[in-house]
Amino acid sequence: MPPITDNIAKLRRRIGICAKKNHRNPEQITLLAVSKTRPAADIEAAYHCGQRDFGENYLQEAEEKILFLKQLPLNWHFIGPIQSNKTRIVASLFDWVHSVDRLKIAQRLNDQRPEASPRLNICLQVNISGEDSKSGVDVQQVAQLAEDVAKLPRLQLRGLMAIPSPSHNSQQQHAAFAQLRQLLEQLKNGIPYLDTLSMGMSGDMEAAIDEGATIVRIGTDIFGPRIARPSTLNKDNT
């Protein structure tokens, strides 16, 4: 794979081309680098290319990296499933959570968010494809969950996130993302400040941007193929 520098530059060009095609401002589309399983050195390399937003799935690994890199002004996004007994760490360390699908989890994040920290940005994860194996709130239950989460004072509800069923078919990709966009538009009738669609990964980023994505979550096209979960820190730095 080319260096991380080249990968990020290519991605930003792709985002710019796709945004221009849709008469959108590319500055309003956040590139979220999915850094799970990647060592701290890779995150630092991406930072020096101008990357500021990083997404993590595995909490213990993420905690180590966040503390190790605390001197850098990074925005940390938790994008994995959340266990009830882990919410205090998520509430304390992260700036965004993309994977809230139950009111119980939202309430715990709210109650455990430190008073000195800004409100925690929240996306509700929607099971847009209706798969039993996928996390996410059912489409029919999104409105009630959004209404309840919007009332929690230490959280800032921002929008929706989804991981549709993988597909190489462009029409199927667009249909899933369009459904999430339409769902957000419906929610904005009652919660007008919602502004975030977290959708699109390396294989379907363009379709997501076509349908209004404001955050695209990219791992492979930045860092290369997924690797096993190594020690998260650089041995020569610890």
Side-chain angles (χ1 to χ4, degrees), residues 90-157:
V90 175
S92 298
L93 294 181
F94 286 85
D95 305 290
W96 284 76
V97 179
H98 293 234
S99 46
V100 171
D101 60 3
R102 289 170 286 159
L103 181 57
K104 175 184 177 181
I105 294 297
Q107 289 171 329
R108 290 179 65 87
L109 291 171
N110 176 78
D111 295 345
Q112 295 168 349
R113 182 66 168 172
E115 288 286 340
S117 299
R119 296 169 76 179
L120 181 60
N121 294 296
I122 297 293
C123 289
L124 304 182
Q125 182 172 354
V126 182
N127 187 349
I128 205 72
S129 302
E131 297 175 90
D132 291 340
S133 60
K134 283 276 182 72
S135 299
V137 60
D138 291 341
V139 170
Q140 295 82 359
Q141 299 173 346
V142 171
Q144 184 61 59
L145 181 58
E147 181 180 337
D148 292 338
V149 172
K151 296 175 183 176
L152 297 172
R154 301 297 302 146
L155 306 184
Q156 180 66 56
L157 182 62

Side-chain angles (χ1 to χ4, degrees), residues 1 33 36 77 86 90 122 149 153-154 174 194 221 227 238:
M1 288 289 291
K36 64 181 180 182
H77 301 240
K86 304 295 185 181
V90 175
I122 297 293
V149 172
R154 301 297 302 146
H174 279 82
L194 298 180
D221 282 359
I227 60 177
T238 54

Side-chain angles (χ1 to χ4, degrees), residues 4 7-8 11-12 15 30-38 42-47 49-57 61 65 74-79 94 98 200-202 215-223:
I4 288 172
N7 291 344
I8 290 176
L11 273 168
R12 294 200 180 280
I15 290 170
T30 297
L31 174 59
L32 175 57
V34 178
S35 48
K36 64 181 180 182
T37 78
R38 310 306 307 199
D42 284 359
I43 296 173
E44 288 184 287
Y47 167 79
C49 302
Q51 183 63 31
R52 296 293 180 269
D53 292 87
F54 293 87
E56 293 284 335
N57 287 56
E61 173 194 334
K65 287 189 281 191
L74 305 180
N75 300 314
W76 292 99
H77 301 240
F78 192 75
I79 57 177
F94 286 85
H98 293 234
M201 298 185 287
S202 292
I215 299 177
V216 290
R217 307 181 307 272
I218 309 296
T220 300
D221 282 359
I222 294 177
F223 299 112

